Amino acid sequence: MLFMVKLTHDYTTCQAHHPEKFPLFRDTLAQVSDHGIKVHGSYSNRLEHTSFMILEADTFEQLDAAFDPILEMGNFDVTPVVKR
C-alpha cells in the first residue's frame, strides 16, 4: 500500500534551530526501512518547512512505529494513495 506523508513544522520548531534534535529527526527518516517501509520518493520545500514522502508499507502500523520517535517535532498528514 502506498502512502503520501506530509511533514510540516513552523520556524520555531524547525530542527535547524534545535541542533540537539536534528540527529534524531534525520536518523528516524533514514531508518524507515528498518520497519519494512520502502521509500519511493522524498521531497522538501525548506522555505515552507514542509517535506513530502511517498512510502510503501503493508500496514499503517508500520508508519506509526517508524515515526513514533519524532511525532512531537511536527505535524504528520498520512494519506493512502494509488499509482495510476
Side-chain angles (χ1 to χ4, degrees), residues 33-72:
S33 64
D34 292 351
H35 295 272
I37 298 168
K38 180 179 179 184
V39 178
H40 285 270
S42 182
Y43 312 92
S44 65
N45 182 328
R46 286 178 23 122
L47 298 177
E48 291 184 358
H49 299 268
T50 304
S51 296
F52 301 90
M53 299 175 80
I54 303 293
L55 305 176
E56 184 175 350
D58 294 327
T59 67
F60 179 83
E61 288 81 7
Q62 289 170 273
L63 298 176
D64 184 63
F67 290 116
D68 184 65
I70 60 171
L71 288 178
E72 76 281 354

Side-chain angles (χ1 to χ4, degrees), residues 10-28:
D10 64 27
Y11 178 82
T12 62
T13 59
C14 183
Q15 291 76 34
H17 304 293
H18 301 278
E20 71 282 357
K21 292 183 178 182
F22 181 73
L24 176 62
F25 188 82
R26 178 198 61 221
D27 294 347
T28 298

